[in-house]
Amino acid sequence: MAVQAVPTKGNLMSSKKSLALAKTGYELLDKKRNILVREMMTLIDKASEIQSKIDVTYSRAYLALQRANITMGYIDEIAKSVPEDDSLQLSYRSVMGVEIPIVTLDESDEENTLFYALGTTNSAFDEAYVYFREVKRLTAHLAEIENSVYRLADAIKKTQKRANALKNIMIPKFEETVKFITDALEEKEREEFSRLKVIKSWKQNNTDT
């Protein structure tokens, strides 16, 4: 039950203004929630698609690696020639105030440079290298999407909580306050009207006598 405010016109105007703001806030939060949900569902579909690509590419990569090991012997020494990758870059974009990560890989050097001698390898090794490089790119993209989904889900939960508080607590509270003050003021006006009517009748009777 809302706390009964002093039934004055000033408090009525203030309560109506607070009610309007609460309703506007709820509408904005509801729109924000819907936008975030749509964004999250789109990313979930993308994540599922990329995960399927990763599974297929991993299978092909390990199959090519097995063929390379069979035809070339154990290739761990050759693999060590591939340098550690530190090309991952992280930036952000905003979706309704939610910071969404953007993961990028600088693959310009890899596209133009081989880190092993062609004379000591074969096509199976080349194939494995290409597939694992593709897995790395897909994994970075998947990490970006999964982190984005987590952030969006958290934002949706908080937005829904705030929207529910406005819809179920604040708006009914202000509506009840407005009704209470309105009823009290109307009752006061009726009492004032009745009082004035009695006074007028009394004056008229005294004048007649």
Side-chain angles (χ1 to χ4, degrees):
M1 180 178 179
V3 177
Q4 293 184 348
V6 178
T8 64
K9 290 184 178 180
N11 283 340
L12 179 60
M13 292 177 61
S14 177
S15 296
K16 284 184 175 180
K17 182 177 180 181
S18 296
L19 175 60
L21 287 173
K23 288 182 176 180
T24 300
Y26 171 75
E27 291 173 0
L28 291 174
L29 287 173
D30 190 52
K31 289 179 181 178
K32 177 180 178 179
R33 181 187 64 83
N34 290 333
I35 292 172
L36 293 178
V37 168
R38 285 197 297 270
E39 181 76 13
M40 185 179 71
M41 296 307 297
T42 299
L43 291 177
I44 288 175
D45 292 339
K46 287 183 180 180
S48 179
E49 179 184 348
I50 293 175
Q51 185 61 63
S52 297
K53 289 182 180 180
I54 288 177
D55 293 341
V56 172
T57 308
Y58 255 127
S59 297
R60 293 173 178 173
Y62 280 112
L63 184 60
L65 184 60
Q66 287 177 358
R67 289 199 300 268
N69 281 325
I70 292 172
T71 56
M72 296 172 51
Y74 198 48
I75 59 174
D76 60 326
E77 290 300 323
I78 298 176
K80 290 178 182 178
S81 64
V82 180
E84 182 178 339
D85 188 352
D86 59 355
S87 64
L88 188 145
Q89 301 292 328
L90 185 63
S91 58
Y92 294 91
R93 65 185 177 93
S94 179
V95 177
M96 297 300 291
V98 181
E99 292 296 305
I100 302 300
I102 300 175
V103 178
T104 55
L105 286 169
D106 183 7
E107 298 181 301
S108 56
D109 290 339
E110 291 188 15
E111 291 176 356
N112 301 318
T113 305
L114 281 178
F115 301 105
Y116 56 89
L118 293 176
T120 58
T121 60
N122 58 23
S123 61
F125 184 87
D126 296 338
E127 188 178 0
Y129 176 77
V130 171
Y131 280 133
F132 277 113
R133 190 175 67 180
E134 177 65 10
V135 165
K136 179 184 69 174
R137 186 188 66 81
L138 290 171
T139 301
H141 194 189
L142 182 61
E144 171 190 310
I145 292 176
E146 288 184 341
N147 189 274
S148 299
V149 168
Y150 172 82
R151 288 171 179 246
L152 287 169
D154 185 60
I156 290 168
K157 182 179 179 181
K158 292 178 180 178
T159 301
Q160 186 65 57
K161 186 176 180 180
R162 296 190 186 108
N164 287 341
L166 286 173
K167 180 180 179 181
N168 300 322
I169 299 175
M170 299 306 297
I171 291 177
K173 173 185 174 182
F174 289 131
E175 286 177 339
E176 187 173 350
T177 300
V178 168
K179 184 178 184 304
F180 167 76
I181 296 176
T182 300
D183 291 345
L185 290 177
E186 288 177 352
E187 180 63 25
K188 186 177 180 181
E189 287 178 0
R190 284 194 294 269
E191 291 176 355
E192 182 66 16
F193 177 78
S194 297
R195 187 180 69 83
L196 291 175
K197 189 174 182 181
V198 169
I199 293 174
K200 181 179 179 181
S201 177
W202 179 82
K203 284 184 177 180
Q204 186 175 358
N205 291 334
N206 287 341
T207 301
D208 292 341
T209 58

PDB file of all heavy atoms in Angstrom, residues 189-203:
ATOM      1  N   GLU A 189     -13.691  19.274  -1.771  1.00  0.00           N
ATOM      2  CA  GLU A 189     -14.463  20.212  -2.587  1.00  0.00           C
ATOM      3  C   GLU A 189     -15.958  20.022  -2.349  1.00  0.00           C
ATOM      4  O   GLU A 189     -16.718  21.006  -2.294  1.00  0.00           O
ATOM      5  CB  GLU A 189     -14.137  20.007  -4.069  1.00  0.00           C
ATOM      6  CG  GLU A 189     -12.762  20.518  -4.465  1.00  0.00           C
ATOM      7  CD  GLU A 189     -12.447  20.247  -5.923  1.00  0.00           C
ATOM      8  OE1 GLU A 189     -13.327  19.657  -6.620  1.00  0.00           O
ATOM      9  OE2 GLU A 189     -11.352  20.612  -6.370  1.00  0.00           O
ATOM     10  N   ARG A 190     -16.413  18.764  -2.215  1.00  0.00           N
ATOM     11  CA  ARG A 190     -17.822  18.502  -1.942  1.00  0.00           C
ATOM     12  C   ARG A 190     -18.233  19.072  -0.588  1.00  0.00           C
ATOM     13  O   ARG A 190     -19.308  19.660  -0.433  1.00  0.00           O
ATOM     14  CB  ARG A 190     -18.102  17.002  -1.991  1.00  0.00           C
ATOM     15  CG  ARG A 190     -18.160  16.427  -3.406  1.00  0.00           C
ATOM     16  CD  ARG A 190     -18.753  15.041  -3.419  1.00  0.00           C
ATOM     17  NE  ARG A 190     -17.898  14.092  -2.720  1.00  0.00           N
ATOM     18  CZ  ARG A 190     -16.947  13.369  -3.334  1.00  0.00           C
ATOM     19  NH1 ARG A 190     -16.737  13.530  -4.630  1.00  0.00           N
ATOM     20  NH2 ARG A 190     -16.214  12.525  -2.636  1.00  0.00           N
ATOM     21  N   GLU A 191     -17.334  18.893   0.405  1.00  0.00           N
ATOM     22  CA  GLU A 191     -17.625  19.439   1.729  1.00  0.00           C
ATOM     23  C   GLU A 191     -17.691  20.964   1.690  1.00  0.00           C
ATOM     24  O   GLU A 191     -18.559  21.580   2.324  1.00  0.00           O
ATOM     25  CB  GLU A 191     -16.563  18.985   2.719  1.00  0.00           C
ATOM     26  CG  GLU A 191     -16.612  17.496   3.040  1.00  0.00           C
ATOM     27  CD  GLU A 191     -15.484  17.072   3.951  1.00  0.00           C
ATOM     28  OE1 GLU A 191     -14.619  17.917   4.253  1.00  0.00           O
ATOM     29  OE2 GLU A 191     -15.463  15.883   4.359  1.00  0.00           O
ATOM     30  N   GLU A 192     -16.763  21.557   0.942  1.00  0.00           N
ATOM     31  CA  GLU A 192     -16.741  23.018   0.824  1.00  0.00           C
ATOM     32  C   GLU A 192     -17.991  23.520   0.116  1.00  0.00           C
ATOM     33  O   GLU A 192     -18.581  24.537   0.499  1.00  0.00           O
ATOM     34  CB  GLU A 192     -15.483  23.453   0.064  1.00  0.00           C
ATOM     35  CG  GLU A 192     -15.318  24.959  -0.072  1.00  0.00           C
ATOM     36  CD  GLU A 192     -15.075  25.642   1.264  1.00  0.00           C
ATOM     37  OE1 GLU A 192     -14.734  24.946   2.254  1.00  0.00           O
ATOM     38  OE2 GLU A 192     -15.223  26.874   1.317  1.00  0.00           O
ATOM     39  N   PHE A 193     -18.400  22.788  -0.934  1.00  0.00           N
ATOM     40  CA  PHE A 193     -19.609  23.164  -1.666  1.00  0.00           C
ATOM     41  C   PHE A 193     -20.833  23.076  -0.765  1.00  0.00           C
ATOM     42  O   PHE A 193     -21.690  23.965  -0.770  1.00  0.00           O
ATOM     43  CB  PHE A 193     -19.779  22.260  -2.883  1.00  0.00           C
ATOM     44  CG  PHE A 193     -21.035  22.522  -3.665  1.00  0.00           C
ATOM     45  CD1 PHE A 193     -21.127  23.601  -4.523  1.00  0.00           C
ATOM     46  CD2 PHE A 193     -22.147  21.682  -3.527  1.00  0.00           C
ATOM     47  CE1 PHE A 193     -22.289  23.855  -5.240  1.00  0.00           C
ATOM     48  CE2 PHE A 193     -23.307  21.932  -4.229  1.00  0.00           C
ATOM     49  CZ  PHE A 193     -23.387  23.007  -5.092  1.00  0.00           C
ATOM     50  N   SER A 194     -20.909  21.974   0.008  1.00  0.00           N
ATOM     51  CA  SER A 194     -22.048  21.808   0.926  1.00  0.00           C
ATOM     52  C   SER A 194     -22.051  22.904   1.985  1.00  0.00           C
ATOM     53  O   SER A 194     -23.107  23.447   2.350  1.00  0.00           O
ATOM     54  CB  SER A 194     -21.979  20.429   1.592  1.00  0.00           C
ATOM     55  OG  SER A 194     -22.084  19.405   0.638  1.00  0.00           O
ATOM     56  N   ARG A 195     -20.874  23.253   2.487  1.00  0.00           N
ATOM     57  CA  ARG A 195     -20.773  24.295   3.513  1.00  0.00           C
ATOM     58  C   ARG A 195     -21.228  25.642   2.965  1.00  0.00           C
ATOM     59  O   ARG A 195     -21.985  26.374   3.611  1.00  0.00           O
ATOM     60  CB  ARG A 195     -19.328  24.387   4.004  1.00  0.00           C
ATOM     61  CG  ARG A 195     -19.143  25.332   5.198  1.00  0.00           C
ATOM     62  CD  ARG A 195     -17.691  25.357   5.626  1.00  0.00           C
ATOM     63  NE  ARG A 195     -16.866  26.015   4.618  1.00  0.00           N
ATOM     64  CZ  ARG A 195     -16.718  27.343   4.523  1.00  0.00           C
ATOM     65  NH1 ARG A 195     -17.363  28.146   5.354  1.00  0.00           N
ATOM     66  NH2 ARG A 195     -15.943  27.856   3.610  1.00  0.00           N
ATOM     67  N   LEU A 196     -20.762  25.954   1.731  1.00  0.00           N
ATOM     68  CA  LEU A 196     -21.161  27.216   1.113  1.00  0.00           C
ATOM     69  C   LEU A 196     -22.661  27.238   0.838  1.00  0.00           C
ATOM     70  O   LEU A 196     -23.329  28.283   0.968  1.00  0.00           O
ATOM     71  CB  LEU A 196     -20.384  27.430  -0.191  1.00  0.00           C
ATOM     72  CG  LEU A 196     -18.887  27.694  -0.046  1.00  0.00           C
ATOM     73  CD1 LEU A 196     -18.222  27.756  -1.411  1.00  0.00           C
ATOM     74  CD2 LEU A 196     -18.646  29.000   0.725  1.00  0.00           C
ATOM     75  N   LYS A 197     -23.208  26.088   0.457  1.00  0.00           N
ATOM     76  CA  LYS A 197     -24.644  25.998   0.191  1.00  0.00           C
ATOM     77  C   LYS A 197     -25.453  26.245   1.463  1.00  0.00           C
ATOM     78  O   LYS A 197     -26.472  26.957   1.453  1.00  0.00           O
ATOM     79  CB  LYS A 197     -24.967  24.629  -0.391  1.00  0.00           C
ATOM     80  CG  LYS A 197     -26.387  24.501  -0.912  1.00  0.00           C
ATOM     81  CD  LYS A 197     -26.574  23.168  -1.599  1.00  0.00           C
ATOM     82  CE  LYS A 197     -27.987  23.059  -2.161  1.00  0.00           C
ATOM     83  NZ  LYS A 197     -28.217  21.732  -2.822  1.00  0.00           N
ATOM     84  N   VAL A 198     -24.976  25.684   2.582  1.00  0.00           N
ATOM     85  CA  VAL A 198     -25.651  25.881   3.861  1.00  0.00           C
ATOM     86  C   VAL A 198     -25.583  27.338   4.284  1.00  0.00           C
ATOM     87  O   VAL A 198     -26.573  27.932   4.754  1.00  0.00           O
ATOM     88  CB  VAL A 198     -25.022  24.969   4.943  1.00  0.00           C
ATOM     89  CG1 VAL A 198     -25.544  25.367   6.329  1.00  0.00           C
ATOM     90  CG2 VAL A 198     -25.333  23.516   4.649  1.00  0.00           C
ATOM     91  N   ILE A 199     -24.394  27.951   4.107  1.00  0.00           N
ATOM     92  CA  ILE A 199     -24.228  29.364   4.471  1.00  0.00           C
ATOM     93  C   ILE A 199     -25.138  30.250   3.628  1.00  0.00           C
ATOM     94  O   ILE A 199     -25.800  31.183   4.136  1.00  0.00           O
ATOM     95  CB  ILE A 199     -22.755  29.781   4.315  1.00  0.00           C
ATOM     96  CG1 ILE A 199     -21.879  29.056   5.354  1.00  0.00           C
ATOM     97  CG2 ILE A 199     -22.603  31.293   4.450  1.00  0.00           C
ATOM     98  CD1 ILE A 199     -20.409  29.292   5.172  1.00  0.00           C
ATOM     99  N   LYS A 200     -25.182  29.932   2.317  1.00  0.00           N
ATOM    100  CA  LYS A 200     -26.027  30.727   1.422  1.00  0.00           C
ATOM    101  C   LYS A 200     -27.496  30.605   1.821  1.00  0.00           C
ATOM    102  O   LYS A 200     -28.233  31.600   1.842  1.00  0.00           O
ATOM    103  CB  LYS A 200     -25.811  30.252  -0.016  1.00  0.00           C
ATOM    104  CG  LYS A 200     -26.632  31.042  -1.031  1.00  0.00           C
ATOM    105  CD  LYS A 200     -26.354  30.547  -2.432  1.00  0.00           C
ATOM    106  CE  LYS A 200     -27.177  31.319  -3.451  1.00  0.00           C
ATOM    107  NZ  LYS A 200     -26.948  30.834  -4.845  1.00  0.00           N
ATOM    108  N   SER A 201     -27.898  29.362   2.149  1.00  0.00           N
ATOM    109  CA  SER A 201     -29.287  29.138   2.550  1.00  0.00           C
ATOM    110  C   SER A 201     -29.609  29.863   3.856  1.00  0.00           C
ATOM    111  O   SER A 201     -30.678  30.485   4.019  1.00  0.00           O
ATOM    112  CB  SER A 201     -29.537  27.636   2.706  1.00  0.00           C
ATOM    113  OG  SER A 201     -30.844  27.386   3.147  1.00  0.00           O
ATOM    114  N   TRP A 202     -28.637  29.842   4.762  1.00  0.00           N
ATOM    115  CA  TRP A 202     -28.844  30.502   6.051  1.00  0.00           C
ATOM    116  C   TRP A 202     -28.962  32.014   5.878  1.00  0.00           C
ATOM    117  O   TRP A 202     -29.832  32.659   6.471  1.00  0.00           O
ATOM    118  CB  TRP A 202     -27.669  30.157   6.971  1.00  0.00           C
ATOM    119  CG  TRP A 202     -27.764  30.806   8.328  1.00  0.00           C
ATOM    120  CD1 TRP A 202     -28.483  30.391   9.402  1.00  0.00           C
ATOM    121  CD2 TRP A 202     -27.096  32.008   8.720  1.00  0.00           C
ATOM    122  NE1 TRP A 202     -28.317  31.232  10.464  1.00  0.00           N
ATOM    123  CE2 TRP A 202     -27.453  32.253  10.074  1.00  0.00           C
ATOM    124  CE3 TRP A 202     -26.232  32.877   8.083  1.00  0.00           C
ATOM    125  CZ2 TRP A 202     -26.977  33.352  10.770  1.00  0.00           C
ATOM    126  CZ3 TRP A 202     -25.760  33.960   8.788  1.00  0.00           C
ATOM    127  CH2 TRP A 202     -26.138  34.200  10.127  1.00  0.00           C
ATOM    128  N   LYS A 203     -28.108  32.589   5.018  1.00  0.00           N
ATOM    129  CA  LYS A 203     -28.148  34.033   4.773  1.00  0.00           C
ATOM    130  C   LYS A 203     -29.469  34.421   4.116  1.00  0.00           C
ATOM    131  O   LYS A 203     -30.062  35.450   4.420  1.00  0.00           O
ATOM    132  CB  LYS A 203     -26.981  34.438   3.870  1.00  0.00           C
ATOM    133  CG  LYS A 203     -25.644  34.472   4.590  1.00  0.00           C
ATOM    134  CD  LYS A 203     -24.541  34.965   3.661  1.00  0.00           C
ATOM    135  CE  LYS A 203     -23.203  35.072   4.369  1.00  0.00           C
ATOM    136  NZ  LYS A 203     -22.135  35.544   3.472  1.00  0.00           N
TER     137      LYS A 203
END
